[in-house]
Amino acid sequence: MAVMALLLAGGAWMEPAAQETIDALVKKCESLDKVKVNIVRNRDPETKEVTRSIVSILIPLQSHQALIDGFVAAFQKEKENAEQELENRENGKLISLFYRFEKKSYSLSMNNGEAVVSIIENDRARSDRKKKEQEKMKKKEEQQRE
């Protein structure tokens, strides 16, 4: 039982560590030469809460290979918890990867001398609640019409 508790605690610790590594890499990219970072945030008009965030990073392969390797390693730390996993290799080299989780998706692809890293964060739970609320309102309206 004690071993099981330690394993569970260790697993819980690993997930935030991987996410913290990814956040640190994104922050690092914001200050590097020749690295382009684009961040898009969608907000709920009523609450002003962020409902979706998209981070796209273009990294030159020749000058920042260690950074790219850092993203690959951090993404792969979380891959066993992914809902969907895609990895493409050509001639033994990784050319793209994609991992989808409940609220986030990570992708990385390498072509034309650049690596493109994308991190998409959705508040899926919030959108599910909104859909259910809309369905309830629709049913209520239909019942009132009858």
Side-chain angles (χ1 to χ4, degrees):
M1 293 279 257
V3 172
M4 187 70 142
L6 285 173
L7 288 173
L8 289 172
W13 175 80
M14 287 298 286
E15 192 169 324
Q19 184 56 53
E20 288 171 9
T21 301
I22 294 166
D23 291 345
L25 288 168
V26 170
K27 192 74 173 162
K28 182 177 182 177
C29 287
E30 292 174 358
S31 64
L32 292 174
D33 287 339
K34 299 180 183 177
V35 175
K36 298 174 186 174
V37 179
N38 183 22
I39 301 171
V40 177
R41 291 184 183 95
N42 293 347
R43 297 185 189 278
D44 181 308
E46 295 172 9
T47 65
K48 304 299 181 202
E49 290 180 29
V50 175
T51 57
R52 184 174 196 177
S53 171
I54 303 169
V55 178
S56 298
I57 305 168
L58 287 122
I59 306 167
L61 288 173
Q62 290 181 338
S63 56
H64 297 291
Q65 188 61 49
L67 180 64
I68 296 163
D69 293 342
F71 274 111
V72 170
F75 291 169
Q76 288 182 335
K77 275 185 185 178
E78 291 198 21
K79 81 177 183 179
E80 67 186 39
N81 298 316
E83 294 175 359
Q84 183 178 14
E85 176 183 339
L86 252 109
E87 290 185 12
N88 295 309
R89 295 183 186 277
E90 188 174 294
N91 299 323
K93 292 184 179 184
L94 180 70
I95 55 171
S96 67
L97 56 78
F98 174 83
Y99 304 120
R100 177 175 295 161
F101 301 87
E102 183 179 347
K103 292 184 180 182
K104 282 192 178 190
S105 297
Y106 301 121
S107 68
L108 183 140
S109 62
M110 292 180 257
N111 56 16
N112 299 327
E114 288 186 321
V116 179
V117 174
S118 297
I119 303 165
I120 301 172
E121 186 170 3
N122 291 312
D123 186 354
R124 194 178 288 177
R126 180 176 179 76
S127 66
D128 289 347
R129 285 192 305 270
K130 259 189 171 178
K131 285 180 186 177
K132 287 179 183 177
E133 287 174 15
Q134 289 172 345
E135 288 172 7
K136 284 181 184 178
M137 292 295 287
K138 199 174 193 179
K139 285 180 183 179
K140 195 174 186 178
E141 289 173 2
E142 288 174 2
Q143 288 173 349
Q144 288 177 350
R145 286 184 205 150
E146 294 175 354

